Amino acid sequence: MAFAGLKKQINKANQFMNEKIGGVEGTKLDDDFVEMERQTDVMCELVEDIQLKTKEFLHPNPASRAKMSAVKGIGKLSGQAKAQTYPQPEGVLGDAMISFGKKLGDDSLYGEALVETGESMRQIADIKYNLDDNMKTNFLEPLHSLSSKDIKEVMHHRKKLQGRRLDYDCKKRKKEKGR
């Protein structure tokens, strides 16, 4: 019984080679189906590209992105899930302004202006952190789910269909030879 499965695989491989090298024409798929396949391929590329571009939008500094992914990977390997957030440049600038504004003292108008501007920069950083969280939760995670589950399943079924089409064409060719 296992030999029948192996024979079927050999027949499908033979049919595939005949189509690719020998110029044998396989069963034509419906135009609507070919268009759906094309749209599925485009959708797969789109999801991957959008995910990448969104991550670049949320974290524009490539060095920080690389550092975060390295720390995340090392944390997974060592069993420590360290949730490190992307350092928003506005927050870093705001902290510096507040620090130096306080060092200048309460009697310095420039120091007070630095502290207030620093607080504003921190608020902007907080807003960007919220944007980051919302984008991940409401946009990136559903896209990842679509990519890892639905599109993967469609691709699996397309591969199965191709195997069945090869098997069908092989049986059809053998039947035509028998006549």
Side-chain angles (χ1 to χ4, degrees), residues 3-36:
F3 180 69
L6 179 64
K7 188 174 179 183
K8 185 176 183 179
Q9 293 299 321
I10 291 171
N11 287 338
K12 287 196 295 188
N14 184 17
Q15 178 67 29
F16 179 78
M17 294 304 286
N18 282 334
E19 288 178 11
K20 294 297 178 190
I21 297 172
V24 174
E25 191 170 327
T27 301
K28 291 290 180 193
L29 298 173
D30 187 34
D31 290 338
D32 291 338
F33 184 79
V34 172
E35 177 61 19
M36 285 188 334

Side-chain angles (χ1 to χ4, degrees), residues 3-169:
F3 180 69
L6 179 64
K7 188 174 179 183
K8 185 176 183 179
Q9 293 299 321
I10 291 171
N11 287 338
K12 287 196 295 188
N14 184 17
Q15 178 67 29
F16 179 78
M17 294 304 286
N18 282 334
E19 288 178 11
K20 294 297 178 190
I21 297 172
V24 174
E25 191 170 327
T27 301
K28 291 290 180 193
L29 298 173
D30 187 34
D31 290 338
D32 291 338
F33 184 79
V34 172
E35 177 61 19
M36 285 188 334
E37 276 189 324
R38 187 193 67 76
Q39 288 178 356
T40 302
D41 291 338
V42 169
M43 186 67 154
C44 187
E45 289 177 39
L46 170 127
V47 167
E48 290 174 12
D49 194 46
I50 294 265
Q51 282 179 322
L52 180 69
K53 298 284 194 281
T54 303
K55 288 176 184 174
E56 288 176 11
F57 166 73
L58 292 173
H59 310 293
N61 185 347
S64 294
R65 258 195 334 265
K67 181 181 173 188
M68 283 179 55
S69 65
V71 167
K72 192 176 186 181
I74 291 170
K76 283 182 181 178
L77 290 175
S78 64
Q80 302 167 348
K82 185 178 179 183
Q84 185 179 12
T85 58
Y86 178 79
Q88 298 293 343
E90 293 84 0
V92 174
L93 178 61
D95 290 340
M97 287 179 164
I98 291 170
S99 170
F100 286 107
K102 287 182 180 178
K103 283 183 183 178
L104 286 174
D106 293 335
D107 56 334
S108 169
L109 292 177
Y110 184 66
E112 289 178 23
L114 275 175
V115 169
E116 286 188 32
T117 306
E119 290 294 334
S120 298
M121 295 302 271
R122 271 191 183 169
Q123 289 175 357
I124 291 172
D126 289 341
I127 291 169
K128 286 181 83 174
Y129 282 128
N130 288 336
L131 171 71
D132 193 0
D133 291 341
N134 285 335
M135 289 292 284
K136 284 179 182 173
T137 304
N138 299 325
F139 186 68
L140 285 175
E141 287 178 7
L143 270 182
H144 179 70
S145 175
L146 174 71
S147 174
S148 64
K149 293 178 183 166
D150 299 336
I151 292 179
K152 193 174 184 180
E153 184 178 345
V154 168
M155 296 307 229
H156 169 73
H157 287 294
R158 281 178 59 188
K159 191 174 182 181
K160 265 177 112 170
L161 176 71
Q162 178 68 7
R164 289 178 177 164
R165 187 198 58 79
L166 287 171
D167 188 45
Y168 171 77
D169 287 347

